[in-house]
Every structure is written in C-alpha cells, then in structure tokens.
Amino acid sequence: MAFVTDQQTLEDLSIFGRRGGGSVFAIFNRTMTRQGSAVLEDMLRHPLSEGAAIAQRSAIFQSFAGLETSFPFRSELFDVAEAYLSVTDERTRLSGDAQTLGSRMASMIAEDNEYKNIYKGVTALMEILQQLQTFVAGVMPDAYREEKSAIESLLAEGELQPLLGEDSGSKLSYSRVAVYDTVMRFRHRGAARRLLQYVYRLDAYLAVGRVAVERGFVFPVVLSVEVDGAGDRQRVLLEGVYHPEVKNAVANTVEITGSQPVIFLTGANMAGKSTFMKTLGISLFLAHAGFPVPARRMEFSVFDGIYTTINLPDNLGMGASHFYAEVLRVKKVAAALGQGRRLFVIFDELFRGTNVKDAYEATVALTSAFARRRDSFFVISTHIIEAGEVLTADDAGIRPLYLPTRMEGNQPVYTYQLEEGITADRHGMIIINNEGIPEMLRAGRGAVGAPGSAGAAGATFEVDQQTLADLNLTGKYRPGSIFSLFNQVKTAGAERLLEEMFNKPLVDADAINWRVSRLQDLQRRRLSFPFTRQQLGRIEDYLHAGAGGRLATMTYLFRLKLLAVVLKDERYAAVEEGVRAVIGFIEGCRAFFQQFDVSPAEDVRGNGRYQKREQGAKAQQEWETEVREAREILGDMRLSEWSGGAMAVAYYHHVFGQVLNQRLQRLCAILYELDLGIAVGSVAQNKGFSYARALPAAGNTFYATELRHPALNEAVGNALSFSGDSNVLFLTGANMAGKSTLMKSFGIAVYLAHMGFPVAAQDMEFSVREGLYSSINVPDDLSLGYSHFYAEVLRVKKVAEAVSAGRNLVVIFDELFKGTNVKDAYDATLSVTEALAAYSRCWFVISTHIIEVGETLRQRSDNLQFAYLPTVMDGVTPRYPYILERGITNDRHGMLIIGNEGILDILSVKTQSE
C-alpha cells in the first residue's frame, strides 16, 4: 500500500516550500548535480509505508554519513552526458571512416559542431563511468551492497571494458570515438542511463548523510507492529525533537501510543502550538522517507499516510467557504480512515472558520470519534478549552497537553515546553495592544492628503502579495485567476501588456476613463484577430534576429544554400521559411486593417451612459491614428508581392531584417495592443461585464449593482455602496452563505476598475482609491516565528499603518481574528472595527461570526452598514440564496453541514467493525 499524503500537507509542513521561502527539501538538498537533486526530491515526494524498505533506505543514508567522503565526480560532466544520450537519431551515428568526401567538405565549409558534441559526450560519460568504477571498488558500506552489485554487473559488460580502460587524459581518435559512440548511445544506452541513475542516487545519499552529520540529526528506529505486552499496534516516541527551520528551537519530548491516540493541545496565541505540530509532522514525514530527523532519539511504528490541516484556504473554484473547506478536509481524512488506513493526522485550530457554538460541538463530536481509532494518531489544537475539559473527562483515549505562557508585567513570555493538562491562557488583546494598533489608529484620525495621493504625479495603486493571492488576481498558471480569465490574447506581446496592466493599476480618474474609452471602442467594432500565438511568435523571433547589409546577407545565404546541398544543412530552409512567414503576415495585416473602415457598432453593455462623448471620440481617433500608421507601413513599396527564388529570399531577408525591421516591429506592437483590446472586449461581451466610471478621489463614493464574482458562472449579483458617512460594511452570515465570495467580488471589482477593465456588475462608479488590502487566507509564517493569530495581528497592523497615514484605501477583513479564542476575538474585533470606522475616506468590509460585536457597534457608531447573507432551511438541508439583506443574522448551521457530509457515520462504521 502506497504512503498517502497530499499537497495541503506538503505545504503545511513546508516540505518543498514556496518560492522565496525555506523548506525541508532545501535543508537536505546539498547534492552536486541537478539530477541528484531530482532523485532527492522524488524520495521526499514518495515516503515509504513498509518498515523493511524504510529501514533499508535509512541504513544507506546512515552508512554514507559515516563514510565522511565527498562526491567524487565533476558536476559539469552530467549535463553534457545527459544531452549526449538524449540524441537518439540514427542519422547522427558516427561513421568509422573519417575520410569521406562529406567530412572533408564539412571541414572546409563549416566547423563540425555535431562531432564536437559527440566527442564531449563520449569523453564525459567515459570519465563518469571510470570514476564510478573506482569509487565502488573502495570500501563500501554493507547496506549499499545491493546497489554496488548492480553497478559492478553493469560495468562488467564486455563492450564497456575498452572504454573503462582508456586514458582519460589522452585525445581519442575519430575511429575510437565512433566505436564508443555506437556502444554507449545505441547498443547500451539503457545500461548507461541506469549507471547514471546510480550516480545520482549516490549524490543524494552523500548529501543526506552530510546533512545528518553537520546538523546532528538522528536516524529513527522503525518499530515492529506489536510493540508491548498490551498489544498497542502503534507507537511514536520523540525525544528532544525540534523544528529544523526555527533558530534556537526549543526541544520537546512526546510519546503517543494506541491507548491514547489523541493529543489535545491548548495554549495562548504565539505559545508555539503550530510550530510543535509542524515539528511532529515533519519528523514523521522524514522518518517514513528514511531520512534523519531533528531529534535526540526517535522510535516509530509505520503509518500508511500523513494528513495535516494547518493553513487551509477557502476554495472558491469548488464553492467552498473556509469552514466548508475544513469540513471537506475532515471528510477526506475520515474516508481514508474508513478504508482501513493507519494515519497520522494533525488539525490546527479545528473549525476555526465557524462560530464558537458550532466549533465546540464539532470539536467534541469528531475528537471523540477519532479517540476510538487506536491504530491512527491525532494531534488536535484548539482555543475552545471547554471542549477539552469535556473530552478529557469523558474519554481516557485523549491526552491533554498545553504550551504555557508566563506573564512578566505586560509582556507574555513563552517557554515552548509541553506540559500536561489544559490551559486557560488568553493574551490576544495584550498582543494587539503591545503592537500599538489601537493607539496608532487613534493618533492618525484626521490624517488626509498624504504624499502620493490618488492622481498625484508618480502615484501608484498600493497592493501587496497577500491581497493578490487572496483575490486570486494575478498568475498566468494559477487556476481560476482573474488574469487567466482575461488572458484570451493570441500573441505573446499582448500577454506581456496584460501582465503590465495587472501589475500597475491606475490611480488617476482621467487615465482610467481614457483606457475604458479605448477598450469600449474596440469592443463596439466586434473585430476578429487574424493571427495565432504561434504565427506572431515566429514573426517576432525572426524580426528580432535581424540581418546584415545587402552584400553580407547575400554572401551568407549563398553559403547556407551550399551547405544545404552538400550537407543537408537546414539553416537556409529556416531563413526561407521566415521570409515566407513575414510575407503571409503582411498580407494578413492588410486584410485585418480593412475592418477599421466599418463604423463602430452600438454602445457596449453597462457604462455607455457614463462615457463622455468627446472622450470616446478621441479614443476612436487615436485608434484610427494607429491604424493609419500601420497602413503606411504596409503600403511601403519594398513590401511588394513575393516572387520566389533564392535572390528574392536574399532581398526580403535583407529588407525585413534591416531596412524595415524597426517599422515591422512597430507594426507588431500595434497588433499587440489591438489583440489585447479585442480579447478584453470579447470577455466582457461573453460574460456580460460592464465598464465602471472613475471619479476623482474627493468624491469618496462607490456604487455598484448586480456585483458578482467574475470567475463564477451564474453567480448571484448584489448591490453595494459606500460613502463618507457609510464607509464600513459589517457582514455576517452562516457558513457557506457566501460572505467570502461577496468580499472577493467587491475587491476584484475595485482592482479591475482601477485597471480600466470591465467588471462583473451591471453598473458601477467609484471614486479612485490609492490601494487595496485584504485579509482572507492569512497563513502563519514559521520562518519569522509568527503564529496564525500573530500573522493576523501583523496584517491588521500593516493596514492600520497605511490607513492612519491618510491613505484612501479599500480594506477587506474576512473573519477578523479567527485565530484566537472567542473572548479575545470579540474584544479585538470591536476595538479595531470601531477605530477603523473613523477613517471615513477608506471603505471597509469586515465579516465575523461573532454577531455580538455587531450589536455593540450598532450602539456606538453611526457610519456602519449592517448586512448579512441569509440561510433558508429546507428541512435539515440549508439552502443559500446569496442575496444580501440588511441587519445582523444569528444563523448557525455548522453541525448540520457536518452531519449532511456523513463524516461521523464514516468514522463510526469503522469503529464498530474493529
């Protein structure tokens, strides 16, 4: 049975990390070759689930750690050898006769690069195999004997013996190169590749062994199925275990047995719960891959898989809110358990995406069910200590542990040392106050017109990576990104323009409306772009290559023509193909630009009533100016019809590559802009989007009708508005009611509108803002020592700094302070929301499950809007209309959702069968 895990677990534990971040893989990746690194990665991506296989790999790593030897090969040889073996065309095989007429002609006309590459490949592979033979002939660890034997067997092949006996310092003759080339590249290529693979494995073994020695990691002991007289089937013992990426990490000792398969972990914010759980997960993961672990001692029974839920985002593509994503995650684990798999499972802050009542009931129900699974282990953290008190009183299978906090005056101090029991420590508001957030917001009230205000010269729209990720705005390859929605362009040049626009939203109302007018004008014309990405890419590559003077070009092409006849060289054919492609491109352009003689069609949907008539006329005039420029280029007499023949190829190659090169590249640039505009207009037309009208910042208004998420088909639209005396939307609703989707819809519309792009709304107008911040899926940051709650606090602090500096911003907070206990969450949400509301030049959307905050705010502030997304019950099944209503709701249906997913039924079926 294969070891099971998933991408969520790999990301939670930072096994491979993300771009720019640390990872477990990076710790061990001390390999000397790219291919060795790939082998190492494969080992980590596919942990083992059989004790014997784990012990065997671990023994190999451990034995190479004891050798204290370095990688004996020159790293640069391997890319040469791989490139050499990848050429399998029989036509490239060397002939034994080096004195043919063809060979002599090749030497006279051009350097024989093909022979040079073969020579380099043969000698590189020869040196590698000779060094491998020498290395394995030395003292090899007993654990490596199987692979050593396989290597020696492959090297013993008779036809390889002359090659192994060659003097690597001497130059090989043509005839010997031809013989060795035939042997290694054609007769025994499979054996050569297998030998290289063994070298790459050696590279990985030596790297892991070196890391184990240098960092003092220990190799775990694999336990048999039955570990004690009581018959416990599973056991994990970790002594002095610590997180490998945390500087000066505090070590802990923990043992988990089948008699107490659940660890119920509590502790205040920043006490170290998430770090400890990641430490456990990483250690178990590495142990199953046969790798050393950061501990003083480790013994473990083998599991069938590991699942973690630590930084779980919502999933708009599946229509899953954060809470429902948690439910589906638990269901996935339950299904694997129902298949009889023995799992090691970690849940950090189980059901933090719902209200405290549902979180309490769900935590109690599911933890009790998990505790009856004696063959799987669970580590569950929570801030709902009341659940722990009930669970540990009723179930002996649950072991309570906590990470304490000591108060030194106003400062919490964290020991990071596990203790038995449950803690009631709560210090969320202390942390918030220590960061100075309330004080900062109070001090900054009234600050307006900071440098860089919207519309000022050089001003830029302020947005950060967290917001881009929350709203899934950018990313060519990110599933469901807004960029990919609009990326229907046909050319690479238009795609570059699209990326530039997505990276630089505008902050000047006139500039935004100007771009809107240009896009609207193209959309009215209903044009069809005539070229494919491949066609324009070929033209662009050809034009960028350029050409020399006329005489030099003719001489060069004559030489290529001769090589084509004598040696079947393909370079002349490539030039001719390029010339023909440009000729076809020119003909296509002439036909395309004739479409601009037709008057624009009727007004596009949405914002036509907003567009100033003179602005629209200027946009149309500007396009016509560019079209005239394109027609002038295409009308050049030197771009006459193709006549064929070598002389014509030489003439046009010179004209295209030098004489008219810059003008043709300008023609391509015009086409890129048109391609982009046509694509954006097509998306707007097909999706029913409209164009928003930008107003100066001083107006401080926002209005939209039928606002919806652009990436969701058949999405429900809602009306939203903001003004100076109604600048905060306080949003409530049950799980899955659509709060996160509504907030994302608003944020995306604001961003697209500042780009001058169409938005998913019927009508929209807005006063330009200076930036956009969101806090929806904020992860912890172990590299900086941030818990999930502290990451939230720092996020709020960053927003508070920008707001208090007088910036006109749009801010979205989804489930503010969901990473802490309900009391601190209430106090913090109330304090921060009330302080933010005073900044009337900013617009805020804040959602929460703590409806009591809304009732208090209603009494204290008069510039808040209170709205909710309702839930309609059809029997025991909740239904969500996604239509915004005014007020505050107390809908709570978390346990109904869990029940409808059948999770407890899945777990109870297996429990009864045991």
Side-chain angles (χ1 to χ4, degrees):
M1 185 181 291
F3 188 88
V4 295
T5 190
D6 60 5
Q7 188 61 33
Q8 179 65 47
T9 301
L10 296 178
E11 291 182 2
D12 279 345
L13 303 180
S14 293
I15 300 299
F16 297 101
R18 296 184 177 181
R19 186 175 298 178
S23 69
V24 174
F25 172 69
I27 291 172
F28 289 97
N29 191 20
R30 303 281 295 280
T31 55
M32 305 303 292
T33 65
R34 288 189 304 106
Q35 299 84 357
S37 178
V39 169
L40 186 70
E41 180 178 343
D42 186 69
M43 289 177 177
L44 273 179
R45 286 200 180 275
H46 302 95
L48 307 170
S49 60
E50 295 181 1
I54 294 171
Q56 170 67 13
R57 182 184 288 175
S58 180
I60 294 175
F61 283 141
Q62 191 167 6
S63 61
F64 276 100
L67 279 182
E68 297 184 358
T69 186
S70 58
F71 189 65
F73 305 89
R74 290 195 296 134
S75 300
E76 61 270 19
L77 297 175
F78 294 94
D79 286 340
V80 175
E82 287 288 348
Y84 164 68
L85 288 176
S86 68
V87 181
T88 59
D89 191 339
E90 284 280 351
R91 291 174 296 180
T92 64
R93 188 197 292 237
L94 293 181
S95 167
D97 182 6
Q99 303 300 317
T100 63
L101 177 61
S103 298
R104 291 177 181 175
M105 288 290 294
S107 298
M108 291 169 54
I109 298 172
E111 220 173 3
D112 196 343
N113 288 322
E114 187 175 284
Y115 175 74
K116 278 190 171 183
N117 290 334
I118 291 174
Y119 185 91
K120 288 178 182 177
V122 167
T123 54
L125 196 52
M126 180 179 73
E127 182 178 337
I128 291 169
L129 298 187
Q130 288 178 353
Q131 187 63 57
L132 179 61
Q133 182 182 49
T134 302
F135 185 71
V136 298
V139 178
M140 285 285 106
D142 187 59
Y144 190 66
R145 65 181 181 277
E146 187 176 329
E147 291 193 31
K148 176 183 178 181
S149 176
I151 292 170
E152 290 174 336
S153 177
L154 288 169
L155 289 173
E157 168 58 46
E159 287 194 294
L160 291 180
Q161 292 306 303
L163 181 142
L164 294 173
E166 281 283 356
D167 181 0
S168 59
S170 300
K171 185 174 178 65
L172 297 178
S173 67
Y174 180 96
S175 59
R176 282 192 295 182
V177 171
V179 170
Y180 295 151
D181 177 47
T182 298
V183 169
M184 291 191 294
R185 197 154 57 101
F186 296 97
R187 291 183 188 168
H188 298 286
R189 184 170 62 249
R193 285 208 172 277
R194 287 196 295 276
L195 286 165
L196 283 177
Q197 197 64 28
Y198 280 119
V199 175
Y200 304 147
R201 291 174 68 85
L202 273 172
D203 191 10
Y205 294 151
L206 289 165
V208 173
R210 186 162 59 252
V211 170
V213 172
E214 292 177 0
R215 300 192 63 149
F217 290 177
V218 67
F219 287 92
V221 175
V222 182
L223 299 175
S224 58
V225 174
E226 299 294 332
V227 299
D228 58 32
D232 283 346
R233 294 178 60 190
Q234 298 291 101
R235 175 171 171 262
V236 171
L237 171 65
L238 280 156
E239 292 183 0
V241 67
Y242 58 93
H243 197 290
E245 289 189 276
V246 174
K247 188 176 181 180
N248 301 320
V250 175
N252 273 285
T253 294
V254 65
E255 183 176 18
I256 314 175
T257 66
S259 60
Q260 281 190 310
V262 177
I263 288 181
F264 194 85
L265 185 63
T266 56
N269 302 116
M270 299 180 63
K273 299 187 301 298
S274 297
T275 302
F276 173 68
M277 288 188 287
K278 290 179 180 182
T279 299
L280 287 182
I282 290 170
S283 297
L284 265 293
F285 193 97
L286 289 174
H288 281 80
F291 280 55
V293 299
R296 187 170 61 251
R297 177 187 172 204
M298 178 175 180
E299 297 176 357
F300 73 104
S301 301
V302 177
F303 290 86
D304 297 321
I306 295 176
Y307 285 109
T308 68
T309 304
I310 298 174
N311 289 316
L312 185 67
D314 55 12
N315 190 328
L316 192 60
M318 293 175 57
S321 65
H322 185 272
F323 172 75
Y324 192 53
E326 289 183 294
V327 171
L328 293 180
R329 187 70 178 162
V330 175
K331 185 178 181 179
K332 180 175 184 176
V333 171
L337 292 168
Q339 295 169 359
R341 293 186 183 273
R342 297 168 299 171
L343 301 179
F344 193 90
V345 180
I346 294 172
F347 287 117
D348 188 12
E349 300 294 341
L350 193 59
F351 302 122
R352 66 181 171 217
T354 188
N355 61 82
V356 67
K357 182 178 182 295
D358 281 334
Y360 169 83
E361 293 176 357
T363 300
V364 169
L366 287 166
T367 305
S368 295
F370 290 147
R372 294 191 288 273
R373 304 295 303 236
R374 306 296 181 175
D375 60 347
S376 295
F377 290 170
F378 307 85
V379 182
I380 299 171
S381 76
T382 186
H383 280 292
I384 307 173
I385 60 174
E386 297 82 2
E389 291 167 352
V390 171
L391 288 165
T392 53
D394 295 344
D395 198 324
I398 300 172
R399 182 186 181 191
L401 295 174
Y402 74 95
L403 287 157
T405 305
R406 312 284 185 234
M407 293 303 299
E408 294 183 358
N410 244 8
Q411 292 294 328
V413 177
Y414 310 104
T415 67
Y416 307 118
Q417 289 283 353
L418 283 172
E419 296 188 16
E420 298 282 345
I422 297 174
T423 181
D425 290 340
R426 292 185 172 115
H427 306 297
M429 277 307 296
I430 292 175
I431 294 169
I432 291 170
N433 287 324
N434 286 346
E435 290 295 330
I437 294 172
E439 181 182 352
M440 182 191 307
L441 289 171
R442 285 192 297 271
R445 289 177 184 173
V448 293
S453 296
T460 58
F461 189 81
E462 192 173 318
V463 70
D464 63 4
Q465 192 57 46
Q466 178 65 49
T467 303
L468 295 175
D470 278 344
L471 304 181
N472 202 10
L473 286 164
T474 55
K476 179 179 177 180
Y477 301 108
R478 287 192 66 178
S481 73
I482 305 304
F483 175 87
S484 64
L485 175 69
F486 284 97
N487 189 21
Q488 309 301 316
V489 297
K490 302 291 184 64
T491 63
E495 187 172 84
R496 290 192 295 270
L497 286 175
L498 186 65
E499 288 177 344
E500 182 179 340
M501 290 180 181
F502 262 89
N503 290 328
K504 295 180 179 179
L506 306 171
V507 293
D508 177 72
D510 288 339
I512 292 169
N513 290 327
W514 180 257
R515 182 178 289 173
V516 165
S517 298
R518 283 173 62 85
L519 292 173
Q520 282 181 315
D521 181 68
L522 274 186
Q523 186 173 336
R524 290 189 193 93
R525 293 176 183 276
R526 309 282 175 85
L527 300 174
S528 176
F529 196 73
F531 303 108
T532 66
R533 179 181 293 261
Q534 184 178 8
Q535 286 173 317
L536 262 294
R538 186 186 303 125
I539 298 300
E540 189 176 52
D541 291 343
Y542 174 84
L543 292 175
H544 283 167
R550 187 167 185 176
L551 181 59
T553 299
M554 293 186 68
T555 303
Y556 171 69
L557 287 178
F558 173 76
R559 181 166 169 264
L560 291 186
K561 186 75 171 176
L562 180 60
L563 285 171
V565 173
V566 176
L567 298 176
K568 301 192 182 305
D569 189 285
E570 298 179 353
R571 284 176 290 178
Y572 177 82
V575 172
E576 184 176 9
E577 182 183 357
V579 169
R580 289 181 180 274
V582 176
I583 293 293
F585 165 68
I586 291 169
E587 293 172 353
C589 286
R590 287 169 175 157
F592 171 66
F593 284 108
Q594 290 302 316
Q595 297 180 69
F596 282 84
D597 292 334
V598 181
S599 298
E602 71 277 3
D603 196 8
V604 298
R605 179 177 184 259
N607 214 21
R609 64 188 179 89
Y610 292 140
Q611 184 186 352
K612 294 180 181 178
R613 184 168 298 176
E614 64 273 16
Q615 205 169 52
K618 286 180 180 178
Q620 180 178 335
Q621 183 181 7
E622 185 176 273
W623 279 124
E624 290 173 351
T625 300
E626 294 182 7
V627 170
R628 282 197 298 272
E629 182 183 359
R631 286 174 172 170
E632 181 184 343
I633 295 170
L634 293 167
D636 193 298
M637 294 300 295
R638 287 165 291 192
L639 300 179
S640 56
E641 293 185 4
W642 168 256
S643 59
M647 292 298 292
V649 171
Y651 169 75
Y652 281 112
H653 186 57
H654 167 63
V655 169
F656 297 156
Q658 187 180 72
V659 179
L660 296 180
N661 188 270
Q662 293 299 315
R663 302 198 76 192
L664 289 173
Q665 290 196 47
R666 170 57 185 156
L667 179 63
C668 287
I670 294 172
L671 286 170
Y672 298 152
E673 291 188 54
L674 289 167
D675 181 16
L676 172 62
I678 291 169
V680 171
S682 177
V683 172
Q685 188 70 36
N686 294 336
K687 294 281 189 179
F689 295 170
S690 68
Y691 292 86
R693 181 192 180 200
L695 303 173
N700 197 25
T701 62
F702 176 91
Y703 168 81
T705 61
E706 294 298 316
L707 180 69
R708 62 195 185 277
H709 198 290
L712 294 180
N713 295 325
E714 301 180 2
V716 177
N718 278 286
L720 285 181
S721 63
F722 294 91
S723 63
D725 56 3
S726 183
N727 66 315
V728 180
L729 175 62
F730 192 85
L731 185 62
T732 55
N735 303 117
M736 298 180 63
K739 300 187 301 298
S740 298
T741 302
L742 177 66
M743 289 187 286
K744 290 179 180 181
S745 301
F746 171 59
I748 292 167
V750 167
Y751 195 86
L752 289 175
H754 281 82
M755 290 171 55
F757 270 40
V759 298
Q762 184 177 62
D763 290 307
M764 178 173 161
E765 64 179 357
F766 66 102
S767 299
V768 292
R769 302 291 86 180
E770 295 174 81
L772 170 66
Y773 282 100
S774 71
S775 182
I776 298 175
N777 292 316
V778 179
D780 57 10
D781 191 331
L782 195 60
S783 64
L784 296 173
Y786 297 165
S787 67
H788 184 269
F789 172 74
Y790 191 55
E792 287 185 294
V793 170
L794 292 184
R795 186 67 179 162
V796 174
K797 183 178 180 179
K798 182 172 184 177
V799 170
E801 289 171 342
V803 168
S804 62
R807 308 284 285 173
N808 302 332
L809 302 175
V810 175
V811 179
I812 298 170
F813 285 123
D814 188 14
E815 300 295 339
L816 198 56
F817 303 118
K818 60 175 173 267
T820 188
N821 62 81
V822 67
K823 182 180 184 304
D824 280 335
Y826 171 89
D827 292 340
T829 302
L830 177 60
S831 173
V832 169
T833 304
E834 190 173 18
L836 290 175
Y839 290 85
S840 61
R841 299 186 63 80
C842 296
W843 307 328
F844 304 93
V845 182
I846 298 172
S847 77
T848 184
H849 280 292
I850 308 173
I851 59 175
E852 296 80 4
V853 175
E855 299 295 347
T856 305
L857 286 169
R858 182 179 274 168
Q859 299 169 16
R860 294 186 181 183
S861 301
D862 57 5
N863 58 337
L864 274 75
Q865 313 173 47
F866 296 93
Y868 70 95
L869 287 157
T871 304
V872 178
M873 295 304 300
D874 293 337
V876 296
T877 303
R879 177 170 55 85
Y880 310 103
Y882 307 120
I883 297 174
L884 205 61
E885 297 188 13
R886 296 299 160 184
I888 299 172
T889 182
N890 59 3
D891 289 337
R892 293 185 173 112
H893 305 296
M895 280 305 295
L896 273 175
I897 294 169
I898 291 171
N900 289 343
E901 292 294 333
I903 296 171
L904 294 173
D905 293 336
I906 295 171
L907 292 171
S908 64
V909 168
K910 177 60 181 175
T911 303
Q912 292 168 9
S913 66
E914 289 178 338

